[in-house]
Amino acid sequence: MLSQTIQAALNGQISVEGNSSQIYLAMASWAEVQGFEGISTFMYAQSDEERMHMLKLVKYVNQRGGEAKISATVEPVLDLSNYKVLFKQLLIHEEKVSQSINELVGITLDERDYATHNFLQWYVSEQIEEEANARYILDKINLIGDDKGGLYLFDNEMKNFTSQIPTPQ
Ligand code: FEO
């Protein structure tokens, strides 16, 4: 059985993951309209991933005798001036999500809820991976500079980038 504190904290994270899915969906749609086929493919997959992160939490809360709360999502506020700022925002957002997961893990220790602590380790690993991916992509973007040919290749490479991101079990 989950304590009220843990349940509220997990429900907060459900909201974070749901909003993340919306953010990446907005990025995917923007990239698609701009003609960045690879970037949009990557962002659509990111959005799906975040929904999976959310679902995993929903199922865990309900399985442990709690009640998952599905709240309204927030309309994404993004700087969509170019593809570079898009990926900078992705990294900043993932860093925020990592912080949120860390706080959640801290609460499980305060509450001595070791089952939830254990459950959250998957998210801890996932955040390491997601931040690493975002930094890797930003490094590539910095290498491209203003080279149009480089951008074409980068967009092409992004089509298959999803294969490097682990899927939730
Ligand atoms: Fe579910 Fe990208 O954090």
Side-chain angles (χ1 to χ4, degrees):
M1 189 75 186
L2 297 172
S3 73
Q4 285 301 313
T5 307
I6 294 286
Q7 178 170 301
L10 289 170
N11 277 331
Q13 192 62 32
I14 286 171
S15 170
V16 168
E17 303 291 348
N19 284 319
S20 299
S21 181
Q22 292 295 95
I23 287 171
Y24 298 140
L25 183 58
M27 289 184 175
S29 176
W30 174 83
E32 190 165 54
V33 170
Q34 298 299 312
F36 291 125
E37 199 188 334
I39 295 173
S40 73
T41 301
F42 171 82
M43 289 298 182
Y44 278 125
Q46 277 290 115
S47 176
D48 286 347
E49 278 236 352
E50 298 302 348
R51 183 176 155 76
M52 270 192 275
H53 296 175
M54 180 186 70
L55 285 176
K56 209 172 155 86
L57 282 156
V58 167
K59 292 187 177 195
Y60 178 77
V61 170
N62 292 340
Q63 215 171 45
R64 295 289 315 282
E67 198 170 338
K69 186 170 181 286
I70 311 301
S71 51
T73 51
V74 179
E75 185 180 349
V77 179
L78 297 166
D79 178 351
L80 298 171
S81 43
N82 61 62
Y83 78 100
K84 289 181 197 181
V85 297
L86 200 73
F87 282 100
K88 274 186 196 155
Q89 290 168 101
L90 178 130
L91 175 59
I92 291 167
H93 184 72
E94 285 306 323
E95 285 171 346
K96 272 193 213 150
V97 174
S98 297
Q99 215 175 343
S100 171
I101 293 288
N102 284 343
E103 277 163 25
L104 195 48
V105 170
I107 295 169
T108 63
L109 291 179
D110 293 343
E111 292 279 305
R112 299 187 177 213
D113 183 341
Y114 300 114
T116 304
H117 184 268
N118 188 45
F119 167 76
L120 288 173
Q121 295 314 301
W122 182 88
Y123 287 85
V124 172
S125 305
E126 180 71 9
Q127 282 314 118
I128 293 171
E129 186 77 29
E130 296 224 324
E131 279 191 40
N133 282 345
R135 290 196 186 95
Y136 172 85
I137 293 167
L138 279 173
D139 284 347
K140 288 229 160 200
I141 289 172
N142 285 331
L143 282 175
I144 295 166
D146 295 325
D147 179 6
K148 289 256 191 301
L151 173 56
Y152 178 79
L153 290 175
F154 169 77
D155 186 52
N156 223 15
E157 198 185 316
M158 291 309 289
K159 264 184 229 167
N160 301 313
F161 194 86
T162 45
S163 61
Q164 295 179 36
I165 300 169
T167 49
Q169 281 127 35

